[in-house]
Amino acid sequence: AIHVELNDSLTVEAILDQGSEIVAMSKQLWARLGLGLNPNKQLNMQSANAEANLTKGLVEGLKFTINGVDLFIHTHIVENGPFDVLIGRPFFRYTQCETRDEIDGMQEITITCPRTSRQVTIPTFKKGETTPPSDGNVKVFRVAGQSSRM
């Protein structure tokens, strides 16, 4: 997972999933952000357990900010997703995302802004294991019951 700021208003945990063919957001988060969506752009989404559900629609060009890089990504709204945001293949293609896995299990990604060519490398974390950045300068991470600051 990584942290993303949505629409300049809220930072949330986003799950990276290269097996997903869409970028998706939970209906609850969509309602909290008060975003409009295009209900004519629904699609049938099949989950890993082979259950199929129709999405509510599409938020077109939703602003994602990741470590100062602004990206505008079409995001499908799902009724009962077990996530706030699911980042699938469209994100990986759009940002030319590169993943680096370390022998100790650490992982980082490098994304490239398609508009400015600016690159940023950020660490990933396991779902639910860190808190969002507390401000622009201090980041608090939980590691095995401890907190450490960067």
Side-chain angles (χ1 to χ4, degrees), residues 22-25 41-43 55 57-59 74-78:
I22 65 171
V23 174
M25 174 187 297
K41 300 245 175 145
Q42 296 178 327
L43 54 88
T55 63
L58 182 70
V59 176
H74 293 343
T75 305
H76 294 272
I77 305 305
V78 298

Side-chain angles (χ1 to χ4, degrees), residues 54-117:
L54 194 62
T55 63
K56 283 194 62 64
L58 182 70
V59 176
E60 297 174 298
L62 175 61
K63 185 177 181 184
F64 282 61
T65 303
I66 301 171
N67 282 56
V69 174
D70 294 331
L71 305 164
F72 298 89
I73 301 173
H74 293 343
T75 305
H76 294 272
I77 305 305
V78 298
E79 187 75 36
N80 294 315
F83 50 78
D84 283 333
V85 175
L86 179 74
I87 295 179
R89 292 296 309 150
F91 169 86
F92 288 86
R93 286 190 307 267
Y94 180 58
T95 63
Q96 299 174 42
C97 183
E98 296 177 18
T99 304
R100 179 182 169 129
D101 295 290
E102 300 290 336
I103 199 162
D104 65 359
M106 294 295 295
Q107 182 185 66
E108 56 188 39
I109 62 170
T110 300
I111 60 171
T112 303
C113 178
R115 295 176 299 106
T116 66
S117 297

Side-chain angles (χ1 to χ4, degrees):
I2 60 172
H3 290 117
V4 299
E5 183 180 352
L6 300 173
N7 244 21
D8 296 323
S9 64
L10 185 63
T11 299
V12 299
E13 179 180 88
I15 306 302
L16 299 167
D17 183 355
Q18 292 190 40
S20 175
E21 294 186 24
I22 65 171
V23 174
M25 174 187 297
S26 71
K27 179 183 173 188
Q28 295 77 16
L29 180 57
W30 165 77
R32 186 172 166 199
L33 289 168
L35 302 170
L37 65 78
N38 183 340
N40 296 318
K41 300 245 175 145
Q42 296 178 327
L43 54 88
N44 229 347
M45 184 172 130
Q46 186 171 353
S47 62
N49 65 1
E51 186 177 302
N53 296 298
L54 194 62
T55 63
K56 283 194 62 64
L58 182 70
V59 176
E60 297 174 298
L62 175 61
K63 185 177 181 184
F64 282 61
T65 303
I66 301 171
N67 282 56
V69 174
D70 294 331
L71 305 164
F72 298 89
I73 301 173
H74 293 343
T75 305
H76 294 272
I77 305 305
V78 298
E79 187 75 36
N80 294 315
F83 50 78
D84 283 333
V85 175
L86 179 74
I87 295 179
R89 292 296 309 150
F91 169 86
F92 288 86
R93 286 190 307 267
Y94 180 58
T95 63
Q96 299 174 42
C97 183
E98 296 177 18
T99 304
R100 179 182 169 129
D101 295 290
E102 300 290 336
I103 199 162
D104 65 359
M106 294 295 295
Q107 182 185 66
E108 56 188 39
I109 62 170
T110 300
I111 60 171
T112 303
C113 178
R115 295 176 299 106
T116 66
S117 297
R118 178 174 175 227
Q119 289 189 316
V120 64
T121 299
I122 56 174
T124 65
F125 57 88
K126 289 182 182 178
K127 180 181 177 184
E129 286 196 0
T130 71
T131 57
S134 57
D135 64 27
N137 298 317
V138 178
K139 295 184 177 165
V140 180
F141 295 92
R142 284 194 189 122
V143 179
Q146 303 172 354
S147 288
S148 59
R149 294 185 180 266
M150 292 181 74

